[in-house]
Amino acid sequence: ECTREVDMVQLRKMFDEVAGPAGQIRVADLVKHKTRIQQVFPVLLEKFSEIDLNNTSTVSWAELEVFAGGTGEWLEYQLDQVIGLELLKQQIRQFHHSIVMDQKRRDTGHHVKVVGKYHMIFQGNPGTGKTSLARIIAQLLHRIGIIKSDLLVEVQRDKLVAEYVGQTGPKTQKVIDQAKQGVLFIDEAYRLSQDSGKSDFGREAIEQLMAAMNDPPGKAPIMVFAGYADDMDTFMQANSGLYRRIGYTFDFSDYTPFELAEILNSIVTNSGFKLAQPLLANNFSRVAAVIESNTLPQAREMMNGGLCERLFDFAKQSLDAREAVVSASNPSLELREGDLLEACRRIPPPPVREGRESSAPSADPAALAQKLQRTDAKLRSAQAEIHRLQAQLRAVKAARNAWKSGDLVGSGQGCCQRIFNFFCFLWSACVLCAAAVLHGVGYFCCCRCLRKSEQFTTPIIRISPADGVKPGPAPMS
């Protein structure tokens, strides 16, 4: 543990004296009450920024209580800030409990050897919080004394693998040395063993990592290998040496629509905006229904929390377009259901993962339905873009009318107005052309996909001569 035993009653009394009516300890308060703090809890002076969990440059009683209470309380506080992922949270609690038990066994004289067994796998789809949880793991390992720093170094294949013979080993070792006091987080680790040509040196990087995994923390980092669950499974099967050196596997599940709604509300609030009151009722049930009904399951699976960031961006653009016409002088901060619907329509269908879909046409009804869904999403995205451009056009027209009705003075009035009218006309023409192109592209994609679906799902009925009808030519393939 990083903290010593403290008298919580005395700590609370000291906090009230230092914080005063504001209920927050500031940096200035540290200077003013330095002697008193040194008597009761000197760690506050040394680790003020670490105790400030919310990064507000102030420390509340809740934050101080969490820090002084020990790693268990700190971990629970951190996990409470994470939306969803209940199974994963339980896995992390068990991980912490296991480490604490091993430390107690050593403290009682038992020889417990777990060197190299802290390396782990994070498996799940993008946007499920793997990097955020890696930061918590780094801080947790630091607090319980496994590593000397809470440093987290994030890399992908390009930071480990070089282009020429003899360069990959030193390049990988340089990253290992950089992270040796903390945690090395290797995202999309499975790409290290995916051949990209005859001059691929991913295997050399894997061997360099495996050699370092045998070293104790401090000489080499704790390593976290992250990626899609199926790809990570294949990666580990092809690299049994890595598999033997990894002690823990953490599973990151996809977010449900209700969890996505909660994440969206958090993003909206943290950005200084708010959702309309009807959207907040029943734990964001309406937001969850909008997301579930108006986004593709594949998009939710491939983006997860990232989907909420895109939804907020698009919803804000919808709000901006509406406010430009309604109340340009005092724009609203409230996102309505219509803004969310508009945002959902603009979410493009996700790209197909490499190697996950055959280029040959398929007659599978489920596959065809999925293609139709993707095409429909493209069409809805194009229609949403048309609506956005039309809203901008209305805003330009409103500004033009305001210009016409304003009291213009000076001899240059006629010239300025003609110039303004010309640019309004030019912008209107561009908007209408773009809208027409987008609509045409969406219609073409939809019709093309429908023709393909008919081609592979419509049965061919052949009539034999025995039926008394002369057979016609065979259908073209």
Side-chain angles (χ1 to χ4, degrees):
E1 297 286 339
C2 290
T3 58
R4 59 181 176 84
E5 292 290 334
V6 296
D7 186 332
M8 298 302 291
V9 175
Q10 290 297 321
L11 184 64
R12 179 67 205 220
K13 185 177 180 180
M14 181 213 74
F15 177 85
D16 292 337
E17 293 174 5
V18 175
Q24 302 279 344
I25 297 179
R26 304 165 300 170
V27 175
D29 297 325
L30 299 180
V31 178
K32 183 178 180 180
H33 300 276
K34 182 178 180 180
T35 303
R36 175 62 171 153
I37 295 172
Q38 285 179 329
Q39 292 174 347
V40 180
F41 196 62
V43 179
L44 178 60
L45 299 172
E46 303 166 5
K47 300 186 176 182
F48 181 83
S49 60
E50 185 177 337
I51 299 172
D52 176 22
L53 298 173
N54 293 327
N55 297 319
T56 58
S57 298
T58 61
V59 169
S60 66
W61 168 247
E63 292 171 322
L64 186 59
E65 185 180 32
V66 165
F67 185 86
T71 301
E73 289 79 1
W74 173 87
L75 180 60
E76 288 303 320
Y77 178 88
Q78 295 291 343
L79 295 180
D80 284 344
Q81 311 307 306
V82 178
I83 296 173
L85 304 177
E86 295 305 323
L87 177 60
L88 173 68
K89 292 177 183 178
Q90 190 58 36
Q91 288 180 305
I92 293 177
R93 292 186 184 101
Q94 182 59 43
F95 171 73
H96 171 240
H97 180 71
S98 177
I99 294 176
V100 171
M101 290 298 101
D102 285 340
Q103 287 181 329
K104 290 182 178 180
R105 294 182 181 104
R106 283 192 291 269
D107 292 341
T108 56
H110 297 286
H111 181 66
V112 178
K113 185 178 179 181
V114 291
V115 175
K117 294 301 183 182
Y118 296 118
H119 306 299
M120 55 195 75
I121 295 172
F122 282 9
Q123 55 185 24
N125 286 325
T128 49
K130 293 189 289 292
T131 304
S132 299
L133 264 296
R135 295 191 184 98
I136 293 178
I137 289 291
Q139 295 172 13
L140 174 63
L141 293 172
H142 173 54
R143 287 180 66 92
I144 57 184
I146 301 299
I147 55 179
K148 297 180 180 179
S149 168
D150 62 359
L151 172 70
L152 178 70
V153 177
E154 305 172 41
V155 297
Q156 291 189 355
R157 174 192 165 91
D158 63 306
K159 298 296 183 182
L160 302 173
V161 179
E163 297 180 3
Y164 301 103
V165 176
Q167 294 183 342
T168 293
K171 185 174 183 178
T172 301
Q173 187 60 46
K174 182 178 179 181
V175 173
I176 293 172
D177 292 339
Q178 179 187 355
K180 66 181 180 180
Q181 302 294 331
V183 173
L184 176 59
F185 181 80
I186 306 169
D187 197 14
E188 298 182 348
Y190 54 86
R191 293 177 56 215
L192 291 174
S193 63
Q194 290 180 345
D195 293 334
S196 60
K198 62 180 181 180
S199 299
D200 183 83
F201 306 108
R203 168 58 56 182
E204 185 179 350
I206 293 173
E207 292 174 353
Q208 195 76 24
L209 292 170
M210 285 194 298
M213 291 171 74
N214 293 325
D215 295 330
K219 189 175 179 181
I222 302 296
M223 298 187 193
V224 178
F225 298 86
Y228 293 100
D230 50 355
D231 285 325
M232 291 304 296
D233 183 56
T234 303
F235 176 60
M236 287 299 154
Q237 289 180 10
N239 299 277
S240 58
L242 270 178
Y243 181 79
R244 290 194 303 269
R245 291 168 171 81
I246 292 176
Y248 297 91
T249 298
F250 295 107
D251 300 301
F252 289 72
S253 58
D254 293 328
Y255 290 113
T256 66
F258 276 94
E259 290 167 346
L260 291 175
E262 192 173 350
I263 294 172
L264 177 59
N265 179 65
S266 177
I267 294 174
V268 169
T269 303
N270 292 336
S271 301
F273 291 78
K274 62 180 180 179
L275 295 175
Q277 194 61 37
L279 297 174
L280 302 177
N282 299 322
N283 293 324
F284 315 106
S285 60
R286 184 55 194 160
V287 178
V290 169
I291 292 175
E292 184 173 17
S293 301
N294 296 277
T295 59
L296 291 175
Q298 298 92 331
R300 298 195 295 272
E301 175 184 316
M302 291 294 293
M303 300 175 71
N304 281 286
L307 174 68
C308 299
E309 296 176 355
R310 296 286 296 275
L311 287 176
F312 169 69
D313 290 339
F314 289 148
K316 180 181 176 298
Q317 291 175 20
S318 174
L319 170 64
D320 293 341
R322 187 178 72 248
E323 290 297 305
V325 179
V326 178
S327 179
S329 61
N330 185 26
S332 172
L333 297 171
E334 184 177 86
L335 298 175
R336 302 175 184 172
E337 182 173 334
D339 298 320
L340 293 186
L341 287 170
E342 182 76 7
C344 290
R345 296 188 190 103
R346 293 184 61 188
I347 296 294
V352 177
R353 283 178 58 192
E354 184 177 353
R356 290 300 185 272
E357 183 171 303
S358 173
S359 59
S362 171
D364 180 17
L368 291 171
Q370 183 175 352
K371 288 183 178 181
L372 282 173
Q373 280 185 322
R374 293 168 61 85
T375 304
D376 181 64
K378 290 180 180 179
L379 182 58
R380 286 190 286 109
S381 181
Q383 290 173 338
E385 184 66 11
I386 292 172
H387 295 155
R388 187 181 68 83
L389 292 171
Q390 289 174 338
Q392 288 188 357
L393 178 59
R394 288 193 297 270
V396 169
K397 289 181 177 180
R400 178 183 177 184
N401 293 335
W403 177 276
K404 285 183 176 181
S405 61
D407 295 328
L408 299 177
V409 295
S411 58
Q413 172 185 349
C415 179
C416 291
Q417 185 165 342
R418 284 193 297 272
I419 293 174
F420 184 80
N421 289 344
F422 170 75
F423 279 109
C424 286
F425 170 77
L426 186 62
W427 173 251
S428 301
C430 291
V431 168
L432 292 175
C433 289
V437 170
L438 286 170
H439 190 274
V441 169
Y443 180 77
F444 171 77
C445 292
C446 188
C447 291
R448 183 182 179 188
C449 189
L450 284 172
R451 286 199 300 272
K452 285 186 177 181
S453 67
E454 291 173 356
Q455 177 181 353
F456 294 109
T457 58
T458 303
I460 299 176
I461 301 175
R462 302 179 184 273
I463 303 176
S464 64
D467 296 321
V469 181
K470 183 179 180 180
M476 295 180 64
S477 57

